[in-house]
Amino acid sequence: MCPAREGRWGQRQRALLCCVLVAALEAAWGQLRYSVPEELPKGSFVGDVAKDLALQLAALRDRGAHILDRGRTRYFALHANSGHLVTAERLDREQLCRLVERCVLRCEVIVEGEMKVYEIEVEITDINDNAPSFREAEMEMRMSEMAAPGSRFPLSKARDPDVGMNSLQSYELSGDEHFSLSVQAGADGEKRPELVLAKALDREEAAFHELVLRASDGGEPSRTGTARIRVSVLDANDNAPVFSQAVYAVRVPEDVPVGSTLLTLTATDADEGLNGNVKYSLKTATDIASEIFHLHPETGSIRLVRSLDFEEGDSYELEAQAQDGGGLSDTVTATILVTDVNDNAPELTVSSALSEISEDAPSGTVVALLHVQDRDSGANGEVRCSLVGDVPFRLRSSVGSYYSVVTARELDREEVSEYNVTVRAADGGSPSLRSSAVLALRVLDVNDNAPVFAEARYSARLAENNAEGALVLTVRAWDADWGQNARVRYRLAEGRVRGAPLSSYVSVQAETGALYALRSFDYEEVREVGLWVRAEDGGAPALSSNVSVRLLIVDENDNAPQVLYPPAAAPGASWTGVELAPRSAEPGALVAKVVAVDADAGQNAWLSYELAKATEPGLFRVGLHSGEVRTARSPLARDAPRHSLVVVVKDQGRPALSATATLTVVLAESVAELLSELGSAAAPAEPAGSLTRWLVLAVAAVSCLFLAFLLLLLALRLRRWRRSQLLPPASGALRGVPASHFVGIDGVRAFLHSYSHEVSLTADSRKSQRRWAADSCCNTLPARPPPDKAAPLLGEDAAGARGAQPDALPCLYYILII
């Protein structure tokens, strides 16, 4: 291969590579170009959009894609199944692109899911589907027989809407030797035929000449159009009309009113009479110009008969003719220039838009694609777009005349759930024209808010002995989200009460948050229940929050006072305890104390004491709050030795509950008298039988023991007296013998711990005295003794220090009696 051929081959390869790169670059930028001939039937294939843009057919079917045309008519369609671009209408280039050399239709492919725009340009190529045609199929011309050979007479031009080689290419004249054809090229490249007088005319020889003008295009096959020309030979006419200007031109705004006179043509003829009468007519004009303008034949004024539109045509060229009555004429070109007026508002079109957006969409998410155009030109066609109001969106310039509406920041549905975004477009005219479009956008909820309780913590009071299933309280929680994300359900957190599961005490209704008691509470067992309630929404994943609930059990007066001392009588017993009161007691002397407790709390546990029944009503009285039984007066000799007192113990509840205690008080000066009285009192009360015999035997045995004890005590006293005679004198007297109340077995420990007294006996029983312990003045006793103290059988002050001495031995006797 020679070097020259190698060089040409390399140039071709580089050119082909350049074309491939340009096509790849255009596809990368989302712009495609196709070319199809005109007059294709509807549904004809234009291009494979899916392949050229590397789009998946599944994505086109799922997300959706459509063609957006800018004109009023839709010329193309996109098949989602195949991804092919096809024609939607028959395309006629001469109708679509009149007076335009290159006919290009533009449309956009919008993929909904991706919010992307792909521009497509389709060039409509011309086919030779139109033959040249004359405006007038028959033309009438008049010539003076005095016209000199070589004179030129303009002929009407033929029109061929095709372009390129398919357009008008040549003219031919046939029919007479007196005339020839000359074709001149105009400034705009158009071929203008002229009739040239080749031989002088003689009216006497021939009054008329018939000619045929043929126009041909360059298509394959060639198409032709003809016009018949009839030339009339007139008598001598010295002067032809002459226009006052070689060229007429006028500039008018496009909003000039219909009916306005735009321009007046003036032609004069020096002849007189019929030869000087000038008539005006349009020699050459396009079809559109003929519809817009009218030339008055008498005055020569060009009047507007239809409104102008700069966007349809910015200039018109008319060829006018002035002809006198003798057939002589003159031609002139009138140019009408149309200036733009800001008469078109911007056209704002929503090409694609979302109706819903998630509130967690990232900043910069595209929510709409807008296309804006203004048919005006210059500053009148410059459009500025903006968003109205303070909205979390912004405009971003996209491909060509497209704008994207994107999120400027994260959205919050709880603040604003819907947006009506107004996009405004304004041109640069004066005054400016505006248009707007409104985008309705609903914000979809995301589970980004946990339930919030109405209160930071809850507390409720529930009376004890409540019914099972009683409503305790209702907790409320709200979720700022929407739909399923805002649906709140409640449940209890795990916990235990007194070793049992919390769920066995209370329950919460999942939908309403109502808290119910599953069992009857007892204040004496459970005084307070602390629990946690969890509120959980229905989102995925679910969000939750907790709140503490404090349930206070309110005490009710459901426990009667319990008498600890004196204890309740055992079955078959006639008395439970005996209190000793010396007949020499002064008024107010403490005889006994009723000790009672109440398991309730507060006012329900406040106890009061009242003497309900007494053998001698005026002899004793009971302290209202202390329960101490004291002498109201000094005992008299006529008073019975044994008295029975019934003390009523009441609490302060509503209704009040009460209990009774029975005390037996014996007026005696000595233990022997006390025992005698007790014996006489017990004998009649006991039924005859074996029990009586056993009691008699027991009393006899105790008496024997007592006599033995007295003898032993006397011996010890004599021994001490004898020692005192031998040793130095020592002060000593008969010391008091500690003793306690006679109490029942059940309450002896608690009672003796809090209440005890000592009894000192002397030889003279009337001088016996009783000393009460200080701690016997308490109102009530606790229900349980403190764990850190043991309840001694005897008071430490009375018997602890002297338990080993003989003086303490009488205490044993008292205990045996009990």
Side-chain angles (χ1 to χ4, degrees), residues 115 353-357 367 440-444:
M115 279 292 176
L354 299 178
S355 60
E356 298 175 342
I357 184 173
V367 299
L441 188 64
R442 186 164 64 94
V443 182
L444 299 180

Side-chain angles (χ1 to χ4, degrees), residues 37-200:
E38 63 174 332
E39 301 297 338
L40 287 177
K42 180 180 178 180
S44 299
F45 175 79
V46 177
D48 192 343
V49 174
K51 178 181 179 181
D52 296 337
L53 292 178
L55 297 177
Q56 298 294 329
L57 293 179
L60 289 179
R61 288 192 294 266
D62 298 339
R63 299 175 183 174
H66 64 274
I67 293 292
L68 186 64
D69 289 310
R70 291 290 151 225
R72 292 186 176 91
T73 306
R74 183 182 179 189
Y75 297 109
F76 303 100
L78 181 67
H79 284 174
N81 293 330
S82 62
H84 292 171
L85 183 69
V86 297
T87 58
E89 295 290 340
R90 186 183 66 88
L91 303 178
D92 186 356
R93 182 193 177 282
E94 289 72 37
Q95 183 180 359
L96 296 175
C97 305
R98 186 181 302 176
L99 304 178
V100 177
E101 183 70 22
R102 184 171 181 266
C103 183
V104 176
L105 297 181
R106 293 177 176 83
C107 61
E108 291 85 22
V109 175
I110 298 178
V111 181
E112 297 289 349
E114 299 180 359
M115 279 292 176
K116 289 185 178 180
V117 178
Y118 301 95
E119 290 188 347
I120 299 177
E121 290 185 357
V122 180
E123 182 178 1
I124 311 301
T125 59
D126 183 54
I127 63 174
N128 192 23
D129 57 340
N130 293 282
S133 62
F134 292 91
R135 186 181 178 200
E136 297 177 356
E138 294 186 0
M139 293 181 282
E140 187 78 23
M141 299 186 67
R142 294 179 180 182
M143 295 184 185
S144 174
E145 63 179 344
M146 299 300 295
S151 298
R152 294 176 177 268
F153 302 92
L155 298 174
S156 295
K157 294 183 294 184
R159 295 292 179 184
D160 192 337
D162 294 327
V163 295
M165 292 300 297
N166 296 327
S167 65
L168 179 65
Q169 296 296 322
S170 62
Y171 290 97
E172 293 179 5
L173 184 66
S174 62
D176 200 310
E177 61 181 2
H178 288 83
F179 300 94
S180 64
L181 182 67
S182 175
V183 179
Q184 303 293 328
D188 55 357
E190 284 189 319
K191 294 178 173 62
R192 298 180 179 181
E194 293 180 349
L195 187 62
V196 181
L197 183 59
K199 184 179 179 182

